């Protein structure tokens, strides 16, 4: 079992920045990768970013590449998502997820999820 708790969401003006945190507990030693997903109003949940267990490999959705950065601090069992140059279309509930097995992609295959944290970007 892996437990995930997101934090750091809030209200920010367009062009601003936020850093989300995901604190993991439980059997974190078995985590293959950590991912960030989001679901905007009236939209389906979409992949945002991911990082391998070792932190040496990352992946990003085209919509956030160059603006968002995912990182990992294994000593603190925490994954971060730094979001710069935020746009109103980034408004969504952001979820942290843990992937415990290899499936050939970072986009699918996550079996543990956090409760989500709201990010609202005003124009």
């Amino acid at each position: 079992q892996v437990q995930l708790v997101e934090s750091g969401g809030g209200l920010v003006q367009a062009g601003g920045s936020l850093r989300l945190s995901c604190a993991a507990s439980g059997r974190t030693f078995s985590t293959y990768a950590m991912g960030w997903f989001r679901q905007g109003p009236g939209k389906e949940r979409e992949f945002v970013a991911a990082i391998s267990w070792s932190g040496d490999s990352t992946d990003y959705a085209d919509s956030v590449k160059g603006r968002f950065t995912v990182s990992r601090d294994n000593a603190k069992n925490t994954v971060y998502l730094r979001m710069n140059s935020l746009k109103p279309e980034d408004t969504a509930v952001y979820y942290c997820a843990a992937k415990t097995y290899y499936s050939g992609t970072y986009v699918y295959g996550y079996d543990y999820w956090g409760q989500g944290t709201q990010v609202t970007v005003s124009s």
Side-chain angles (χ1 to χ4, degrees), residues 103-122:
S103 65
T105 177
Y106 287 126
V107 179
Y108 307 111
Y110 294 84
D111 47 355
Y112 295 98
W113 296 82
Q115 82 289 349
T117 184
Q118 177 70 48
V119 173
T120 302
V121 184
S122 64

Side-chain angles (χ1 to χ4, degrees), residues 8-104:
L11 175 64
V12 65
Q13 293 183 341
S17 300
L18 284 174
R19 189 182 74 164
L20 305 182
S21 298
C22 175
S25 61
R27 302 176 68 85
T28 57
F29 59 87
S30 65
T31 300
Y32 175 74
M34 299 292 294
W36 287 97
F37 294 76
R38 68 185 182 185
Q39 185 171 12
K43 300 180 180 179
E44 298 296 319
R45 185 171 61 189
E46 63 176 342
F47 170 78
V48 176
I51 186 169
S52 65
W53 71 270
S54 62
D56 60 355
S57 180
T58 58
D59 194 20
Y60 298 92
D62 289 341
S63 59
V64 306
K65 191 173 184 179
R67 299 188 298 121
F68 291 11
T69 303
V70 63
S71 61
R72 187 169 191 167
D73 186 342
N74 288 341
K76 297 182 178 180
N77 298 123
T78 302
V79 177
Y80 304 96
L81 183 67
R82 189 185 72 198
M83 305 183 294
N84 295 328
S85 302
L86 284 163
K87 306 174 181 179
E89 50 263 45
D90 294 320
T91 295
V93 177
Y94 283 72
Y95 298 91
C96 177
K99 186 179 179 69
T100 60
Y101 57 92
Y102 172 78
S103 65

